[in-house]
């Protein structure tokens, strides 16, 4: 069923006749007659009957009016939604884990700003636990983090954004001194360079060290992934990071992967919002970009 037939039907009623509706819609009267004929055929009923010189609504036509109004109102809402997406005005508060922000989101953020140039995006690089907590208490609109933090139960609605392998990496020189992290019960005289204690991949690796009674010399705690990588490349220590963050350095030989017995451990990224959060057009745009790009990041 064509929406324009319903619009023509409503215009006839508003203007009081076929000829005035034709003038309003810039149609010929024959076009108006054809469209109403098509609508009557699809509905298997007569909507107008000729009484004297006038076309008058039948009972079926009168009963159709509220249904047409409802449909046309919904169409208007969709147009409003579309306009919001093209002009997207308003604020959007998003928290993102640093590794995802640095290595997975630049292209998405670029496209978001292209489609919504009038939006104000308040972007924060945050710890995954903080993102989870602020989503649950309503401080953030959206959060992109590693679901391995857990603890959100049914309180959040999540959308997958890829599962990522991990890698213990070092410079070629350090790997010569520490060729593996598989042999248990030993002390390895090399620092562990990593994020703060609530970092998910730090927790995974430190648990592995405890389970295998492997002790490292000390821990260097930094907040910047690029800085961590630079220190590791400079023979300062080792780090345990999502493989996508060191892919280029592994390919060029600046870094090498050190074997562990962790196995095929992966971490899964999600985009999330509070389950009761109203999805604004601005949020929907961002979610659509996430969904359209998530398949590119499955590893």
């Amino acid at each position: 069923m064509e929406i324009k037939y319903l619009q023509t039907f409503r215009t006839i009623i508003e203007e009081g006749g076929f000829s005035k509706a034709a003038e309003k819609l810039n149609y010929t009267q024959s076009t108006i007659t054809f469209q109403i004929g098509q609508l009557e055929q699809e509905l298997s009923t007569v909507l107008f009957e000729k009484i004297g010189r006038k076309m008058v609504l039948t009972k079926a036509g009168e009963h159709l009016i509220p249904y047409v109004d409802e449909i046309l109102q919904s169409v208007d809402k969709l147009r409003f939604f579309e306009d919001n997406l093209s002009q997207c005005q308003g604020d959007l508060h998003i928290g993102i884990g640093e590794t995802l922000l640095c290595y997975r989101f630049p292209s998405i953020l670029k496209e978001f700003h292209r489609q919504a140039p009038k939006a104000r995006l308040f972007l924060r690089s945050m710890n995954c636990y903080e993102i989870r907590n602020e989503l649950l208490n309503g401080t953030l609109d959206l959060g992109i983090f590693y679901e391995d933090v857990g603890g959100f139960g049914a309180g959040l609605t999540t959308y997958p954004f890829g599962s990522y392998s991990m890698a213990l990496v070092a410079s070629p020189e350090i790997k010569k001194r520490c060729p593996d992290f598989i042999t248990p019960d030993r002390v390895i005289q090399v620092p562990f360079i990593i994020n703060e204690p609530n970092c998910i991949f730090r927790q995974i690796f430190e648990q592995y060290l405890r389970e295998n009674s492997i002790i490292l010399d000390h821990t260097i705690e930094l907040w910047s992934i690029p800085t961590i990588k630079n220190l590791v490349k400079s023979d300062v220590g080792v780090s345990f990071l999502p493989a996508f963050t060191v892919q280029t350095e592994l390919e060029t030989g600046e870094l090498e992967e050190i074997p562990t017995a962790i196995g095929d451990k992966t971490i899964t990224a999600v985009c999330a919002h509070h389950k009761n959060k109203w999805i604004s057009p601005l949020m929907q745009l961002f979610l659509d970009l996430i969904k359209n790009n998530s398949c590119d990041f499955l590893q």
Side-chain angles (χ1 to χ4, degrees):
M1 182 179 294
E2 295 278 354
I3 295 295
K4 64 183 177 182
Y5 297 166
L6 301 179
Q7 292 170 329
T8 296
F9 171 79
R10 200 66 182 84
T11 304
I12 292 170
I13 296 168
E14 291 171 355
E15 297 299 316
F18 280 44
S19 59
K20 290 184 178 179
E23 185 178 345
K24 175 74 176 290
L25 296 171
N26 199 27
Y27 289 158
T28 63
Q29 189 157 336
S30 61
T31 299
I32 297 288
T33 302
F34 171 78
Q35 290 185 359
I36 294 303
Q38 290 295 109
L39 185 58
E40 289 176 335
Q41 184 177 334
E42 291 188 39
L43 295 173
S44 301
T45 191
V46 177
L47 300 174
F48 294 93
E49 58 186 0
K50 191 170 185 179
I51 298 179
R53 293 185 175 183
K54 299 182 68 174
M55 296 296 290
V56 180
L57 268 177
T58 64
K59 285 294 182 184
E62 291 176 1
H63 291 154
L64 181 62
I65 292 174
Y67 296 99
V68 171
D69 287 346
E70 184 177 350
I71 292 170
L72 295 181
Q73 286 171 10
S74 295
V75 170
D76 286 341
K77 289 178 182 178
L78 285 173
R79 285 176 179 157
F80 175 76
F81 182 83
E82 184 179 1
D83 288 342
N84 271 355
L85 287 183
S86 62
Q87 302 185 16
C88 270
Q89 305 194 25
D91 300 342
L92 192 61
H93 296 261
I94 302 178
I96 308 184
E98 188 200 3
T99 52
L100 295 166
L101 178 58
C102 287
Y103 300 95
R104 283 295 180 255
F105 265 81
S107 61
I108 292 176
L109 294 173
K110 180 179 180 180
E111 181 62 17
F112 177 81
H113 281 293
R114 187 187 72 80
Q115 294 192 35
K118 296 183 179 180
R120 294 202 308 170
L121 183 60
F122 292 86
L123 198 61
R124 294 165 59 195
S125 174
M126 301 171 65
N127 172 272
C128 292
Y129 288 96
E130 293 174 345
I131 294 172
R132 176 200 65 188
N133 294 342
E134 293 204 22
L135 285 171
L136 288 171
N137 66 31
T139 308
L140 292 174
D141 295 316
L142 291 170
I144 298 91
F145 61 105
Y146 296 112
E147 69 174 1
D148 304 67
V149 300
F152 48 83
L156 301 181
T157 298
T158 61
Y159 309 88
F161 192 67
S163 294
Y164 305 103
S165 58
M166 304 296 300
L168 177 64
V169 294
S171 67
E173 179 62 31
I174 292 293
K175 186 176 179 180
K176 289 178 185 177
R177 292 165 40 193
C178 312
D180 80 82
F181 272 63
I182 298 175
T183 306
D185 301 311
R186 60 188 174 132
V187 176
I188 300 176
Q189 298 296 329
V190 65
F192 181 35
I193 310 172
I194 199 63
N195 275 359
E196 40 77 39
N198 282 336
C199 168
I200 290 297
F201 21 99
R202 173 173 176 172
Q203 293 176 347
I204 293 170
F205 191 64
E206 287 182 337
Q207 180 179 350
Y208 170 76
L209 295 177
R210 288 192 297 271
E211 290 173 350
N212 290 274
S213 299
I214 298 174
I215 299 173
L216 298 186
D217 188 81
H218 63 282
T219 298
I220 299 175
E221 188 175 294
L222 300 169
W223 282 86
S224 166
I225 297 297
T227 302
I228 290 171
K229 291 199 303 179
N230 284 335
L231 289 183
V232 175
K233 286 189 291 184
S234 300
D235 306 329
V236 175
V238 300
S239 192
F240 186 69
L241 298 168
F244 66 78
T245 66
V246 291
Q247 181 177 348
T248 299
E249 289 80 5
L250 290 173
E251 291 173 353
T252 60
E254 293 177 280
L255 295 177
E256 294 184 7
E257 186 169 358
I258 299 178
T260 70
I262 294 177
D264 298 326
K265 173 63 182 176
T266 60
I267 54 177
T268 301
V270 294
C271 178
H273 59 77
H274 193 283
K275 66 176 182 177
N276 296 328
K277 184 76 176 176
W278 176 70
I279 308 300
S280 67
L282 204 56
M283 282 181 64
Q284 189 62 58
L285 171 60
F286 201 90
L287 289 171
D288 287 342
L289 291 173
I290 290 285
K291 294 171 187 176
N292 293 337
N293 285 273
S294 60
C295 60
D296 297 336
F297 300 131
L298 297 175
Q299 295 185 356

